[in-house]
Amino acid sequence: MKKIKNVFVAIVSVTCLISCSKERLVESPPNFITADVLYTTVEGFDAGLNGLYASVRDERNGLNYTSGFGTIDLRAAIMITGTDNIGAGSNTGGLSTITADWTKNTPADPNIDKLFLWLYKVVSAANTIITRAENPVIKWGAGNKERVLGEARTVRAWAYRHLTYLWGDVPLLTEEVSGENIRTDLVREKVATIRRVMIEDFKYGAENLPWSPTKAGRLTRGVAQTYLSEIYLAVGKPDSALFWANECITKGPYSLVKTRYGAGSDQPGVAFMDMFNPGKTNISDGNTEALWVMQWERNAIGGGENLMRHETTMRYPNARYVNRVGFLTATDARGGRGWSRQTITKQALLWYTASSDVPAGKVDQRSSEFALRKYFILGADDNFAGLTNTATKAPWKLGDTVWLATGISRSIIADPGMKSKSGAVNFSLLPDGTANNNDWPYSLKFAYNDAGFANTTESHQDQIYMRLAETILLRAEAKGRLGNLPGAADDINLLRDRANAKRVIVSNFGATLTTFLDYILDERSRELLVEEHRRYTLLRMGGASFFYRRTNTFNTISKNLALRDTLLPIPQSVIDANLTLKMPQNPGFN
């Protein structure tokens, strides 16, 4: 029994060295280097940081592994799915099983257990670096100690951001765990106390990290400043939130991407989507909006098994068109086959309609054909031979357009060529209350597969993780909370003008703080769809008032959300491992 119950304390004691030893990472130091040897030089600390970043990137990796598919079950699913703008998909698994049906949110769920322990592994690895950096014999050189501590402390606060939004009160660990100080009497510290530590960590990063990454994938000052702005909003200090957002926006080297850039910019597209193209994602590629870009290429600094494309893209080869499954084929040009673990809610799509003014020529480019998949063009690999397009009364041929969301039947899309009946064109025609049938508009932000591997689960392209638009939206929220509604409108219009959308006026915000915040949430969805940790944003504004209310109102796909589900349950294995002091469970899960 003791062997089984010591899972938590064993995992918490894992140091950065174990993260560094993953064979898939070229930045890994030799497996048999000890902490005492590694953390004696600047190069050793940088190797430790490489391992720490590898664990951070696991957010977009899978929790599980199968021999048939490889890495599966995206960790980030619990952060972005089961909210007002993203529901469960037609195919669920891992954490998306919970967001499809909240009755599955239980202390015994093994995926919740793995999620909790992964984040404490990150905390432990960061604590090791922070503790070892105080060794007085290390020859740091100019600025290196401050940079290393800035990265490690910002990552530690990043991990506690996840932990507190997902579980509320959790154990607070700020020292290196060794064989001499493993505890079985951990106490769940109050969120308010943990946030004070997070603020100090983020402040250190905001004052000591460089404006541009020392290497691709590393943290920047803008990341820490943006997280500071967010956490000050969470603790009810919008004046401080405004200060730190301004520091990032006005003093940093960042700027919104407003014009096309890089390879392919002479081809049809929109400026908003260029920064999501894998060849244009990094600051060095010309992406002036990037605050933090995660690296995924093989045989480079980075790596991992990224599942964002796999989970956010529809399983379109499985859609049944005119009585034929496989009418469409997964190809590189289409970004590969998805697995339909997430579905944009109908309401989230309608928010784009609200920000467009078609008669005035204002169509929100964030919902254009370059940002959302609305149709496919038939190619030689597709299986359409011998079938008639019932809209044109002619045989299907190469180059024909197959419109999404045309279904009058959920099981058979009878008229994929009839644009006038397509929910992809008129989102109000989409059905309510059911998971999609793999024939549904989806985001193209992460819709890229490895060349030649259109049907594989994982992909390995760099992905933007945090960008200036989020900082601007935080500043708009802070201004509104301080009563400066014209200033909030100005910030939103920075993004609206870039997207060729309707401009905002103060009267759009309504008459109360709640209506203003609802408007901010609508705009965050338009701008940050499938990027932001939507669950956290809703919880930050208020569990019952925003997360529970808006999800129940706008998400008709995910089922059985209850007030208890504003938090996840503490894993039962963690409660059992705390042998000498009973750890309380979150309300509703006993």
Side-chain angles (χ1 to χ4, degrees):
M1 182 176 179
K2 186 173 182 179
K3 180 179 179 182
I4 294 173
K5 290 186 176 181
N6 276 330
V7 175
F8 177 54
V9 289
I11 293 295
V12 166
S13 70
V14 173
T15 69
C16 188
L17 293 175
I18 293 179
S19 296
C20 291
S21 69
K22 295 182 180 180
E23 293 181 357
R24 68 189 182 199
L25 297 172
V26 299
E27 70 260 38
S28 303
N31 292 349
F32 296 104
I33 290 179
T34 66
D36 290 337
V37 173
L38 182 66
Y39 294 121
T40 56
T41 65
V42 174
E43 293 76 16
F45 276 94
D46 276 325
L49 283 171
N50 285 339
L52 182 61
Y53 281 111
S55 290
V56 168
R57 286 194 302 274
D58 279 343
E59 179 187 313
R60 292 186 173 182
N61 284 358
L63 278 166
N64 299 301
Y65 183 87
T66 67
S67 58
F69 292 99
T71 305
I72 58 172
D73 301 330
L74 178 71
R75 283 173 172 84
I78 199 68
M79 306 160 196
I80 59 181
T81 314
T83 63
D84 57 346
N85 67 355
I86 302 288
S90 61
N91 179 43
T92 60
L95 292 165
S96 66
T97 301
I98 295 172
T99 62
D101 180 358
W102 287 97
T103 62
K104 306 290 179 62
N105 187 23
T106 68
D109 187 284
N111 296 294
I112 293 178
D113 181 272
K114 292 174 184 177
L115 189 71
F116 190 90
L117 298 180
W118 157 61
L119 288 166
Y120 271 104
K121 187 176 89 170
V122 175
V123 169
S124 180
N127 283 340
T128 298
I129 294 173
I130 293 165
T131 301
R132 298 277 175 161
E134 297 305 325
N135 186 342
V137 305
I138 299 168
K139 297 179 180 179
W140 284 104
N144 284 319
K145 179 180 179 181
E146 292 77 13
R147 172 185 60 81
V148 166
L149 282 171
E151 292 183 83
R153 291 184 66 172
T154 300
V155 168
R156 180 171 68 182
W158 171 92
Y160 274 115
R161 174 178 177 269
H162 282 305
L163 285 161
T164 51
Y165 277 123
L166 290 171
W167 287 281
D169 301 344
V170 292
L172 176 60
L173 306 176
T174 58
E175 298 179 354
E176 179 182 358
V177 177
S178 68
E180 298 178 354
N181 66 351
I182 291 177
R183 294 174 54 191
T184 60
D185 61 347
L186 293 170
V187 174
R188 294 182 63 185
E189 197 63 71
K190 295 294 183 183
V191 170
T193 301
I194 298 171
R195 281 178 172 164
R196 286 195 288 271
V197 175
M198 292 168 61
I199 287 170
E200 291 306 309
D201 281 349
F202 283 141
K203 276 186 178 178
Y204 191 92
E207 294 165 355
N208 292 284
L209 287 171
W211 284 111
S212 297
T214 54
K215 293 181 181 178
R218 292 288 185 91
L219 287 162
T220 65
R221 184 171 296 192
V223 174
Q225 291 171 335
T226 299
Y227 279 135
L228 266 176
S229 181
E230 180 194 62
I231 198 170
Y232 274 122
L233 286 172
V235 300
K237 294 184 177 181
D239 50 345
S240 296
L242 179 60
F243 172 84
W244 287 107
N246 271 328
E247 288 289 292
C248 178
I249 295 165
T250 63
K251 296 184 179 180
Y254 321 111
S255 60
L256 289 177
V257 173
K258 296 180 180 179
T259 58
R260 303 293 309 283
Y261 72 94
S265 57
D266 57 338
Q267 301 298 312
V270 294
F272 173 73
M273 287 300 294
D274 272 349
M275 60 187 149
F276 297 98
N277 184 309
K280 306 179 184 183
T281 300
N282 288 293
I283 296 172
S284 58
D285 301 323
N287 183 5
T288 60
E289 194 163 332
L291 304 182
W292 189 2
V293 180
M294 289 189 173
Q295 308 298 295
W296 295 99
E297 317 101 310
R298 291 193 181 280
N299 301 317
I301 294 177
E305 309 285 330
N306 190 301
L307 297 183
M308 288 295 283
R309 183 265 306 168
H310 182 253
E311 299 233 354
T312 61
T313 300
M314 290 301 100
R315 206 174 174 183
Y316 56 85
N318 287 53
R320 181 184 292 274
Y321 286 99
V322 286
N323 237 344
R324 180 178 290 179
V325 174
F327 183 82
L328 296 169
T329 301
T331 66
D332 288 359
R334 292 171 179 166
R337 177 209 64 183
W339 210 235
S340 189
R341 288 283 174 89
Q342 301 176 22
T343 303
I344 304 171
T345 62
K346 178 178 178 178
Q347 182 59 56
L349 293 167
L350 288 172
W351 286 327
Y352 289 117
T353 301
S355 58
S356 298
D357 185 353
V358 176
K362 294 286 187 181
V363 177
D364 194 328
Q365 292 179 352
R366 297 169 296 186
S367 65
S368 70
E369 63 189 280
F370 307 107
L372 295 176
R373 173 68 72 183
K374 298 182 178 183
Y375 61 82
F376 293 96
I377 302 297
L378 284 181
D381 294 325
D382 293 319
N383 184 20
F384 58 86
L387 294 178
T388 297
N389 181 338
T390 54
T392 64
K393 311 301 181 185
W396 285 99
K397 62 182 184 301
L398 289 175
D400 279 355
T401 301
V402 180
W403 290 93
L404 296 183
T406 57
I408 55 174
S409 163
R410 188 168 181 272
S411 59
I412 300 174
I413 290 80
D415 236 347
M418 187 172 287
K419 178 178 177 179
S420 62
K421 290 187 178 180
S422 175
V425 174
N426 183 351
F427 298 138
S428 65
L429 297 176
L430 290 168
D432 296 304
T434 58
N436 74 82
N437 190 42
N438 301 304
D439 174 64
W440 192 273
Y442 61 85
S443 174
L444 296 174
K445 288 178 177 176
F446 303 119
Y448 298 93
N449 65 277
D450 295 351
F453 295 91
N455 286 296
T456 57
T457 300
E458 73 279 354
S459 55
H460 302 90
Q461 288 87 19
D462 297 342
Q463 291 179 350
I464 197 163
Y465 185 80
M466 180 181 283
R467 56 191 179 90
L468 187 64
E470 183 163 5
T471 321
I472 291 171
L473 285 166
L474 290 169
R475 186 173 72 173
E477 181 182 339
K479 287 178 178 178
R481 287 180 181 273
L482 291 167
N484 182 6
L485 294 179
D490 288 343
D491 276 342
I492 293 174
N493 283 331
L494 293 174
L495 307 179
R496 290 288 184 97
D497 291 346
R498 187 256 295 273
N500 190 45
K502 285 194 305 187
R503 301 197 100 230
V504 175
I505 57 177
V506 169
S507 61
N508 295 144
F509 297 144
T512 68
L513 178 60
T514 296
T515 59
F516 167 75
L517 294 176
D518 276 324
Y519 200 94
I520 288 288
L521 284 166
D522 295 352
E523 193 64 25
R524 287 183 68 98
S525 180
R526 295 180 185 103
E527 181 71 24
L528 302 171
L529 185 72
V530 305
E531 295 178 72
E532 74 167 320
H533 298 138
R534 184 68 170 186
R535 177 184 177 90
Y536 301 174
T537 303
L538 294 168
L539 290 171
R540 172 173 63 77
M541 291 188 178
S545 299
F546 288 93
F547 173 69
Y548 181 73
R549 170 177 62 87
R550 286 179 62 104
T551 301
N552 269 338
T553 300
F554 300 133
N555 184 344
T556 56
I557 300 170
S558 301
K559 306 298 182 184
N560 300 315
L561 179 69
L563 277 174
R564 67 162 197 165
D565 300 309
T566 54
L567 294 175
L568 300 182
I570 300 293
Q572 191 59 46
S573 64
V574 172
I575 291 176
D576 292 344
N578 212 47
L579 297 172
T580 55
L581 182 66
K582 182 175 176 58
M583 182 178 289
Q585 182 56 272
N586 278 329
F589 295 105
N590 289 313

PDB file of all heavy atoms in Angstrom, residues 398-417:
ATOM      1  N   LEU A 398     -12.317  17.457 -60.662  1.00  0.00           N
ATOM      2  CA  LEU A 398     -11.200  18.148 -60.043  1.00  0.00           C
ATOM      3  C   LEU A 398     -11.467  19.650 -60.003  1.00  0.00           C
ATOM      4  O   LEU A 398     -11.928  20.233 -60.984  1.00  0.00           O
ATOM      5  CB  LEU A 398      -9.913  17.886 -60.818  1.00  0.00           C
ATOM      6  CG  LEU A 398      -9.300  16.484 -60.730  1.00  0.00           C
ATOM      7  CD1 LEU A 398      -8.098  16.381 -61.650  1.00  0.00           C
ATOM      8  CD2 LEU A 398      -8.893  16.165 -59.300  1.00  0.00           C
ATOM      9  N   GLY A 399     -11.170  20.253 -58.853  1.00  0.00           N
ATOM     10  CA  GLY A 399     -11.347  21.688 -58.707  1.00  0.00           C
ATOM     11  C   GLY A 399     -12.689  22.113 -58.178  1.00  0.00           C
ATOM     12  O   GLY A 399     -12.876  23.298 -57.879  1.00  0.00           O
ATOM     13  N   ASP A 400     -13.646  21.173 -58.049  1.00  0.00           N
ATOM     14  CA  ASP A 400     -14.944  21.524 -57.480  1.00  0.00           C
ATOM     15  C   ASP A 400     -14.800  21.868 -55.998  1.00  0.00           C
ATOM     16  O   ASP A 400     -13.917  21.362 -55.300  1.00  0.00           O
ATOM     17  CB  ASP A 400     -15.929  20.363 -57.629  1.00  0.00           C
ATOM     18  CG  ASP A 400     -16.549  20.300 -59.017  1.00  0.00           C
ATOM     19  OD1 ASP A 400     -16.285  21.210 -59.825  1.00  0.00           O
ATOM     20  OD2 ASP A 400     -17.297  19.335 -59.283  1.00  0.00           O
ATOM     21  N   THR A 401     -15.686  22.733 -55.516  1.00  0.00           N
ATOM     22  CA  THR A 401     -15.672  23.156 -54.123  1.00  0.00           C
ATOM     23  C   THR A 401     -16.636  22.324 -53.292  1.00  0.00           C
ATOM     24  O   THR A 401     -17.806  22.175 -53.659  1.00  0.00           O
ATOM     25  CB  THR A 401     -16.062  24.640 -54.008  1.00  0.00           C
ATOM     26  OG1 THR A 401     -15.141  25.422 -54.773  1.00  0.00           O
ATOM     27  CG2 THR A 401     -16.031  25.109 -52.559  1.00  0.00           C
ATOM     28  N   VAL A 402     -16.135  21.766 -52.208  1.00  0.00           N
ATOM     29  CA  VAL A 402     -16.954  21.001 -51.266  1.00  0.00           C
ATOM     30  C   VAL A 402     -17.133  21.862 -50.024  1.00  0.00           C
ATOM     31  O   VAL A 402     -16.204  22.053 -49.237  1.00  0.00           O
ATOM     32  CB  VAL A 402     -16.286  19.662 -50.891  1.00  0.00           C
ATOM     33  CG1 VAL A 402     -17.154  18.880 -49.916  1.00  0.00           C
ATOM     34  CG2 VAL A 402     -16.006  18.844 -52.138  1.00  0.00           C
ATOM     35  N   TRP A 403     -18.332  22.402 -49.848  1.00  0.00           N
ATOM     36  CA  TRP A 403     -18.601  23.286 -48.721  1.00  0.00           C
ATOM     37  C   TRP A 403     -18.882  22.482 -47.459  1.00  0.00           C
ATOM     38  O   TRP A 403     -19.577  21.475 -47.492  1.00  0.00           O
ATOM     39  CB  TRP A 403     -19.781  24.206 -49.031  1.00  0.00           C
ATOM     40  CG  TRP A 403     -19.438  25.222 -50.053  1.00  0.00           C
ATOM     41  CD1 TRP A 403     -19.611  25.141 -51.388  1.00  0.00           C
ATOM     42  CD2 TRP A 403     -18.792  26.474 -49.802  1.00  0.00           C
ATOM     43  NE1 TRP A 403     -19.126  26.260 -52.014  1.00  0.00           N
ATOM     44  CE2 TRP A 403     -18.619  27.098 -51.061  1.00  0.00           C
ATOM     45  CE3 TRP A 403     -18.345  27.133 -48.658  1.00  0.00           C
ATOM     46  CZ2 TRP A 403     -18.014  28.341 -51.194  1.00  0.00           C
ATOM     47  CZ3 TRP A 403     -17.754  28.380 -48.790  1.00  0.00           C
ATOM     48  CH2 TRP A 403     -17.592  28.968 -50.045  1.00  0.00           C
ATOM     49  N   LEU A 404     -18.336  22.948 -46.340  1.00  0.00           N
ATOM     50  CA  LEU A 404     -18.583  22.294 -45.053  1.00  0.00           C
ATOM     51  C   LEU A 404     -19.937  22.692 -44.501  1.00  0.00           C
ATOM     52  O   LEU A 404     -20.518  23.707 -44.875  1.00  0.00           O
ATOM     53  CB  LEU A 404     -17.505  22.680 -44.051  1.00  0.00           C
ATOM     54  CG  LEU A 404     -16.077  22.229 -44.367  1.00  0.00           C
ATOM     55  CD1 LEU A 404     -15.148  22.631 -43.245  1.00  0.00           C
ATOM     56  CD2 LEU A 404     -16.004  20.730 -44.587  1.00  0.00           C
ATOM     57  N   ALA A 405     -20.420  21.866 -43.574  1.00  0.00           N
ATOM     58  CA  ALA A 405     -21.614  22.176 -42.782  1.00  0.00           C
ATOM     59  C   ALA A 405     -22.825  22.431 -43.655  1.00  0.00           C
ATOM     60  O   ALA A 405     -23.589  23.368 -43.444  1.00  0.00           O
ATOM     61  CB  ALA A 405     -21.345  23.373 -41.869  1.00  0.00           C
ATOM     62  N   THR A 406     -23.027  21.580 -44.632  1.00  0.00           N
ATOM     63  CA  THR A 406     -24.186  21.718 -45.516  1.00  0.00           C
ATOM     64  C   THR A 406     -25.308  20.773 -45.128  1.00  0.00           C
ATOM     65  O   THR A 406     -26.331  20.707 -45.791  1.00  0.00           O
ATOM     66  CB  THR A 406     -23.800  21.398 -46.963  1.00  0.00           C
ATOM     67  OG1 THR A 406     -23.257  20.067 -47.011  1.00  0.00           O
ATOM     68  CG2 THR A 406     -22.768  22.365 -47.477  1.00  0.00           C
ATOM     69  N   GLY A 407     -25.100  20.017 -44.067  1.00  0.00           N
ATOM     70  CA  GLY A 407     -25.942  18.849 -43.816  1.00  0.00           C
ATOM     71  C   GLY A 407     -27.381  19.141 -43.460  1.00  0.00           C
ATOM     72  O   GLY A 407     -27.673  19.938 -42.580  1.00  0.00           O
ATOM     73  N   ILE A 408     -28.312  18.496 -44.153  1.00  0.00           N
ATOM     74  CA  ILE A 408     -29.697  18.445 -43.700  1.00  0.00           C
ATOM     75  C   ILE A 408     -29.905  17.166 -42.895  1.00  0.00           C
ATOM     76  O   ILE A 408     -30.914  16.987 -42.243  1.00  0.00           O
ATOM     77  CB  ILE A 408     -30.685  18.498 -44.884  1.00  0.00           C
ATOM     78  CG1 ILE A 408     -30.383  17.380 -45.884  1.00  0.00           C
ATOM     79  CG2 ILE A 408     -30.622  19.848 -45.576  1.00  0.00           C
ATOM     80  CD1 ILE A 408     -31.400  17.280 -47.008  1.00  0.00           C
ATOM     81  N   SER A 409     -28.912  16.275 -42.945  1.00  0.00           N
ATOM     82  CA  SER A 409     -28.907  15.068 -42.140  1.00  0.00           C
ATOM     83  C   SER A 409     -27.556  14.975 -41.466  1.00  0.00           C
ATOM     84  O   SER A 409     -26.529  15.247 -42.081  1.00  0.00           O
ATOM     85  CB  SER A 409     -29.139  13.832 -43.010  1.00  0.00           C
ATOM     86  OG  SER A 409     -28.754  12.659 -42.322  1.00  0.00           O
ATOM     87  N   ARG A 410     -27.518  14.610 -40.223  1.00  0.00           N
ATOM     88  CA  ARG A 410     -26.257  14.539 -39.508  1.00  0.00           C
ATOM     89  C   ARG A 410     -25.397  13.381 -40.002  1.00  0.00           C
ATOM     90  O   ARG A 410     -24.184  13.417 -39.903  1.00  0.00           O
ATOM     91  CB  ARG A 410     -26.510  14.403 -38.009  1.00  0.00           C
ATOM     92  CG  ARG A 410     -25.244  14.523 -37.175  1.00  0.00           C
ATOM     93  CD  ARG A 410     -25.562  14.685 -35.699  1.00  0.00           C
ATOM     94  NE  ARG A 410     -24.343  14.811 -34.933  1.00  0.00           N
ATOM     95  CZ  ARG A 410     -23.666  13.775 -34.457  1.00  0.00           C
ATOM     96  NH1 ARG A 410     -24.098  12.547 -34.663  1.00  0.00           N
ATOM     97  NH2 ARG A 410     -22.560  13.953 -33.757  1.00  0.00           N
ATOM     98  N   SER A 411     -25.995  12.335 -40.529  1.00  0.00           N
ATOM     99  CA  SER A 411     -25.228  11.168 -40.934  1.00  0.00           C
ATOM    100  C   SER A 411     -24.793  11.219 -42.393  1.00  0.00           C
ATOM    101  O   SER A 411     -23.806  10.618 -42.764  1.00  0.00           O
ATOM    102  CB  SER A 411     -26.038   9.895 -40.698  1.00  0.00           C
ATOM    103  OG  SER A 411     -27.246   9.940 -41.431  1.00  0.00           O
ATOM    104  N   ILE A 412     -25.518  11.941 -43.232  1.00  0.00           N
ATOM    105  CA  ILE A 412     -25.169  12.031 -44.649  1.00  0.00           C
ATOM    106  C   ILE A 412     -25.250  13.486 -45.087  1.00  0.00           C
ATOM    107  O   ILE A 412     -26.302  14.103 -45.005  1.00  0.00           O
ATOM    108  CB  ILE A 412     -26.103  11.182 -45.534  1.00  0.00           C
ATOM    109  CG1 ILE A 412     -26.032   9.700 -45.134  1.00  0.00           C
ATOM    110  CG2 ILE A 412     -25.746  11.345 -47.004  1.00  0.00           C
ATOM    111  CD1 ILE A 412     -27.028   8.848 -45.877  1.00  0.00           C
ATOM    112  N   ILE A 413     -24.137  14.048 -45.542  1.00  0.00           N
ATOM    113  CA  ILE A 413     -24.162  15.400 -46.062  1.00  0.00           C
ATOM    114  C   ILE A 413     -24.605  15.289 -47.517  1.00  0.00           C
ATOM    115  O   ILE A 413     -23.854  14.854 -48.388  1.00  0.00           O
ATOM    116  CB  ILE A 413     -22.791  16.085 -45.945  1.00  0.00           C
ATOM    117  CG1 ILE A 413     -22.470  16.384 -44.472  1.00  0.00           C
ATOM    118  CG2 ILE A 413     -22.755  17.403 -46.705  1.00  0.00           C
ATOM    119  CD1 ILE A 413     -21.966  15.249 -43.684  1.00  0.00           C
ATOM    120  N   ALA A 414     -25.835  15.643 -47.782  1.00  0.00           N
ATOM    121  CA  ALA A 414     -26.441  15.332 -49.076  1.00  0.00           C
ATOM    122  C   ALA A 414     -26.070  16.321 -50.165  1.00  0.00           C
ATOM    123  O   ALA A 414     -26.150  15.992 -51.345  1.00  0.00           O
ATOM    124  CB  ALA A 414     -27.962  15.281 -48.922  1.00  0.00           C
ATOM    125  N   ASP A 415     -25.662  17.520 -49.807  1.00  0.00           N
ATOM    126  CA  ASP A 415     -25.451  18.557 -50.815  1.00  0.00           C
ATOM    127  C   ASP A 415     -24.159  19.319 -50.567  1.00  0.00           C
ATOM    128  O   ASP A 415     -24.173  20.515 -50.308  1.00  0.00           O
ATOM    129  CB  ASP A 415     -26.627  19.535 -50.794  1.00  0.00           C
ATOM    130  CG  ASP A 415     -27.273  19.655 -52.165  1.00  0.00           C
ATOM    131  OD1 ASP A 415     -26.656  19.192 -53.134  1.00  0.00           O
ATOM    132  OD2 ASP A 415     -28.378  20.204 -52.245  1.00  0.00           O
ATOM    133  N   PRO A 416     -23.002  18.686 -50.621  1.00  0.00           N
ATOM    134  CA  PRO A 416     -21.767  19.385 -50.271  1.00  0.00           C
ATOM    135  C   PRO A 416     -21.362  20.454 -51.273  1.00  0.00           C
ATOM    136  O   PRO A 416     -20.419  21.195 -51.022  1.00  0.00           O
ATOM    137  CB  PRO A 416     -20.731  18.265 -50.235  1.00  0.00           C
ATOM    138  CG  PRO A 416     -21.273  17.223 -51.137  1.00  0.00           C
ATOM    139  CD  PRO A 416     -22.757  17.278 -50.982  1.00  0.00           C
ATOM    140  N   GLY A 417     -22.050  20.584 -52.386  1.00  0.00           N
ATOM    141  CA  GLY A 417     -21.695  21.607 -53.348  1.00  0.00           C
ATOM    142  C   GLY A 417     -22.591  22.820 -53.317  1.00  0.00           C
ATOM    143  O   GLY A 417     -22.422  23.736 -54.118  1.00  0.00           O
TER     144      GLY A 417
END
